[in-house]
Amino acid sequence: TPRGKNHGYSLYNLAKRREEWYTEIMTPDKTGIFTEKQLDEVRETYIEMYGEDMGDLLYQQEYWCSFHGSMLGAYFALQIAKAEREERIRSIPYDPALPVYTSWDIGRSDATAIWFWQESGRERFYIDYYEDTGHDYEHYAKVLQNKQYNYAELVMPQDAANKHMAAKKSVSDRFKEYGYKVRVLDGRTHQDIQGQINASRALLPRCYFDEIKCERGLNALRSYRKEYNDKLRRFNENPLHDWASDGATAFNTGAMMPEKQKRKGASPQPKVPVY
């Protein structure tokens, strides 16, 4: 059964491209196992249990093998599904006339994730996404420079201000030295995970995403979900920490950026060392 556009979705698309592999999705209209009446009853049951939007998504996932559905407990399932229906996930070109903001999740043992967006009025246009692991700040500084966007501000979580013992400098210090404007969330904002999630839910209805450059980040948003307690058979309040949490946390960081404190204009082109 599909669980959103995760590694199973990637494997399915890989199999379709390989001539030596066989792949097929067996839906009820192909198998003939269920009658139309039975399917209607199942869909109605899901809707009664989970509500119309989530119930229909789960029905499409479980019975029609839809990758557009979402996992139970997913925080942003309805918002991403609505963005797809409204065609807000499509080609979003970079506008050189508008500055670019970035929001981050700083990885130590896991991945560092970066969202790139521009704003026009109240609408936010996510034009790019980057994620990688096992690199220091110099690598990500080069990533920013190579994209050649006109940057306004880097929005980072509170741990970006932590000093490293050897260098006695933080990640935010390093990027400021390169000439970037850096905003670091305060500690209370950084620790308020539910507040971050609520801010993202409120933001998503006015967001547009580039379907190619933001594909990995979008899949993270689709898969970001509550942790399930098998013993108690219920969801915990905390998010599950898996591959999706890096991209989703970076998005949350950008959602917590105060509207009234945004700076106008862009930074001078930073001078990043070439290695």
Side-chain angles (χ1 to χ4, degrees):
T1 301
R3 289 292 183 266
K5 294 183 178 179
N6 59 5
H7 63 281
Y9 177 72
S10 299
L11 180 61
Y12 169 68
N13 285 322
L14 173 64
K16 288 197 301 181
R17 295 193 297 268
R18 297 284 180 86
E19 293 184 0
E20 67 273 22
W21 289 25
Y22 172 79
T23 179
E24 185 175 6
I25 292 180
M26 301 298 292
T27 50
D29 57 337
K30 293 181 180 179
T31 63
I33 294 175
F34 300 101
T35 66
E36 186 174 344
K37 180 180 179 181
Q38 287 174 321
L39 290 171
D40 288 341
E41 290 175 349
V42 169
R43 181 176 180 273
E44 289 174 3
T45 300
Y46 271 99
I47 289 174
E48 288 177 4
M49 292 175 62
Y50 301 106
E52 185 170 359
D53 290 331
M54 182 60 73
D56 187 61
L57 284 174
L58 290 172
Y59 165 72
Q60 295 293 334
Q61 171 185 281
E62 296 295 326
Y63 283 82
W64 292 89
C65 302
S66 171
F67 288 103
H68 295 287
S70 180
M71 288 168 279
L72 280 176
Y75 289 108
F76 307 131
L78 299 182
Q79 290 81 6
I80 296 299
K82 185 177 180 182
E84 290 175 334
R85 291 196 304 270
E86 295 177 351
E87 298 184 350
R88 288 186 282 113
I89 299 177
R90 49 183 170 77
S91 176
I92 306 293
Y94 165 56
D95 185 350
L98 296 175
V100 172
Y101 294 87
T102 67
S103 59
W104 298 58
D105 180 51
I106 307 295
R108 294 291 182 265
S109 58
D110 49 5
T112 288
I114 312 170
W115 285 93
F116 301 76
W117 83 85
Q118 298 180 290
E119 294 191 341
S120 179
R122 286 183 50 78
E123 295 177 328
R124 185 177 288 192
F125 298 89
Y126 284 87
I127 59 172
D128 209 342
Y129 176 83
Y130 184 83
E131 180 182 314
D132 209 342
T133 187
H135 300 288
D136 58 19
Y137 57 85
E138 293 170 348
H139 170 83
Y140 299 103
K142 284 297 298 177
V143 168
L144 264 61
Q145 185 185 50
N146 290 340
K147 289 182 179 295
Q148 298 184 343
Y149 294 142
N150 208 13
Y151 296 103
E153 205 164 41
L154 316 185
V155 187
M156 296 184 173
Q158 192 274 334
D159 55 357
N162 295 339
K163 305 288 185 181
H164 295 282
M165 294 182 64
K168 296 183 179 180
K169 292 184 179 180
S170 66
V171 173
S172 60
D173 290 336
R174 291 294 192 183
F175 280 92
K176 287 177 182 177
E177 288 179 352
Y178 291 149
Y180 292 99
K181 295 177 182 177
V182 181
R183 180 191 300 276
V184 178
L185 298 183
D186 63 56
R188 288 177 298 177
T189 300
H190 178 70
Q191 294 172 9
D192 184 10
I193 297 176
Q194 191 57 52
Q196 293 179 35
I197 292 169
N198 290 338
S200 291
R201 283 172 170 163
L203 172 66
L204 279 164
R206 51 191 177 90
C207 291
Y208 294 74
F209 299 89
D210 187 277
E211 60 182 343
I212 302 299
K213 292 183 177 180
C214 296
E215 182 180 12
R216 171 77 176 179
L218 281 166
N219 289 341
L221 293 180
R222 291 184 180 100
S223 300
Y224 186 52
R225 64 194 188 278
K226 298 177 183 178
E227 186 177 35
Y228 188 75
N229 189 314
D230 290 312
K231 184 177 180 180
L232 298 177
R233 295 187 177 182
R234 63 175 176 81
F235 289 104
N236 296 330
E237 293 185 4
N238 296 327
L240 175 67
H241 187 76
D242 64 359
W243 71 271
S245 58
D246 301 311
T249 301
F251 187 88
N252 291 344
T253 299
M256 296 298 286
M257 181 180 180
E259 291 284 335
K260 63 182 180 180
Q261 295 183 23
K262 288 177 182 173
R263 295 174 176 172
K264 297 180 180 179
S267 306
Q269 185 62 31
K271 296 181 180 179
V272 182
V274 179
Y275 294 92

